[in-house]
Amino acid sequence: MGVEIKESTVSDEEFEEMKRFVRDYLAASVESEEDGGRMRWYPWHSADYRFNHILNVVELATRIAEREGANTDVVRVAALFHDISKLEADQEVHAEEGARVAREYLQTHGDFPQSFVEQVCQVVADHSYQGPLSDVSLETQSLIEADILDKVGANGTALMLLRMGYESRTHMDAAEMIERVLERGRDATERVDSDAAESIAHKRLKRVKWFREWLESEVTQMNHEPEEPEL
């Protein structure tokens, strides 16, 4: 018997159209605010960063879903919509608002099965869940783990270094800031549950630790307390 090939619910063309919609929605969310967007002075609250984060999560969530046996179509579409309302809604309700936008889009574009629409919207609505991942569906778990992992590794490190500038810190604080990425990474490895996510987390932690050690080995005084001025 041959291996049955499951037909994808979402074509490549449909997914590209969804990506354009999400990108334009995020941009419009910022442009519609008189103050230039909620906390736009931090890079992770800009439309460009949020869209890049979404694409990172799509890639990570799809990898996890494939390895863990989740429905990859549900996961990648949910990942694409999971933060679409992040720039216009309060943090506490952005997941529910994202599910609402996803539902409106999927019901008015294409001919997606209602069961698929319901699954996607449920995953989006549940992606901010803070409890044990054993309590949620495999699709929701894949998205939550990917969302966590994008804050660990190269992306998290770059954002922490950018944050130094916004906080008027000097480069001498770099190792301290990167230690925060490591702390977040350690917390992430305790939260994620799947073998796929744990593997990604450990690899990213090793690279961040290596980068911090590189800084400390090459930047004079990086690892020393500043001298107290003489009175």
Side-chain angles (χ1 to χ4, degrees):
M1 293 180 61
V3 178
E4 181 180 356
I5 300 176
K6 181 182 177 182
E7 185 176 352
S8 177
T9 306
V10 182
S11 69
D12 291 342
E13 292 77 12
E14 289 171 324
F15 195 69
E16 288 301 315
E17 183 179 349
M18 289 180 197
K19 285 167 64 175
R20 287 191 290 272
F21 172 80
V22 170
R23 181 193 62 208
D24 293 345
Y25 193 99
L26 290 168
S29 297
V30 172
E31 292 169 359
S32 65
E33 295 193 8
E34 293 181 0
D35 61 356
R38 182 166 60 93
M39 291 181 69
R40 197 178 181 186
W41 46 277
Y42 262 14
W44 42 95
H45 291 294
S46 71
D48 286 340
Y49 167 74
R50 188 53 49 186
F51 186 60
N52 181 257
H53 163 71
I54 286 172
L55 295 183
N56 290 346
V57 172
V58 168
E59 192 272 335
L60 283 165
T62 303
R63 283 169 57 189
I64 294 169
E66 288 173 346
R67 284 191 54 184
E68 300 299 324
N71 185 317
T72 55
D73 274 339
V74 169
V75 170
R76 70 182 184 134
V77 174
L80 190 57
F81 280 93
H82 85 281
D83 268 359
I84 192 169
S85 295
K86 187 82 168 183
L87 300 179
E88 64 176 4
D90 290 337
Q91 172 66 19
E92 293 76 13
V93 298
H94 85 278
E96 291 82 359
E97 282 298 301
R100 179 188 61 79
V101 175
R103 185 183 300 279
E104 290 178 359
Y105 179 93
L106 294 172
Q107 289 180 337
T108 56
H109 294 72
D111 187 23
F112 303 107
Q114 189 59 32
S115 59
F116 173 78
V117 175
E118 294 299 331
Q119 275 188 286
V120 168
C121 294
Q122 190 64 57
V123 173
V124 175
D126 290 345
H127 87 270
S128 290
Y129 176 68
Q130 296 299 312
L133 296 186
S134 57
D135 292 347
V136 299
S137 70
L138 194 53
E139 288 73 27
T140 301
Q141 177 181 336
S142 298
L143 175 53
I144 291 174
E145 290 180 332
D147 201 17
I148 292 170
L149 290 173
D150 187 48
K151 301 175 182 69
V152 180
N155 193 41
T157 301
L159 286 172
M160 274 298 184
L161 294 178
L162 280 171
R163 182 172 179 172
M164 290 172 56
Y166 288 95
E167 295 181 355
S168 300
R169 290 172 173 262
T170 73
H171 75 291
M172 299 303 293
D173 295 320
E176 174 195 339
M177 299 296 280
I178 293 171
E179 179 61 31
R180 296 189 192 180
V181 181
L182 284 170
E183 290 173 2
R184 178 179 286 176
R186 296 183 190 107
D187 291 341
T189 55
E190 292 181 4
R191 177 107 200 275
V192 300
D193 195 49
S194 71
D195 291 341
E198 286 182 357
S199 176
I200 294 170
H202 285 301
K203 287 178 181 177
R204 291 188 170 202
L205 274 175
K206 285 183 180 178
R207 291 170 181 162
V208 177
K209 184 178 179 181
W210 173 81
F211 183 59
R212 187 197 61 190
E213 292 171 349
W214 186 23
L215 274 171
E216 292 176 344
S217 69
E218 292 194 10
V219 181
T220 304
Q221 299 295 313
M222 177 70 75
N223 210 15
H224 297 277
E225 294 292 333
E227 294 182 2
E228 292 291 334
E230 294 183 3
L231 298 179

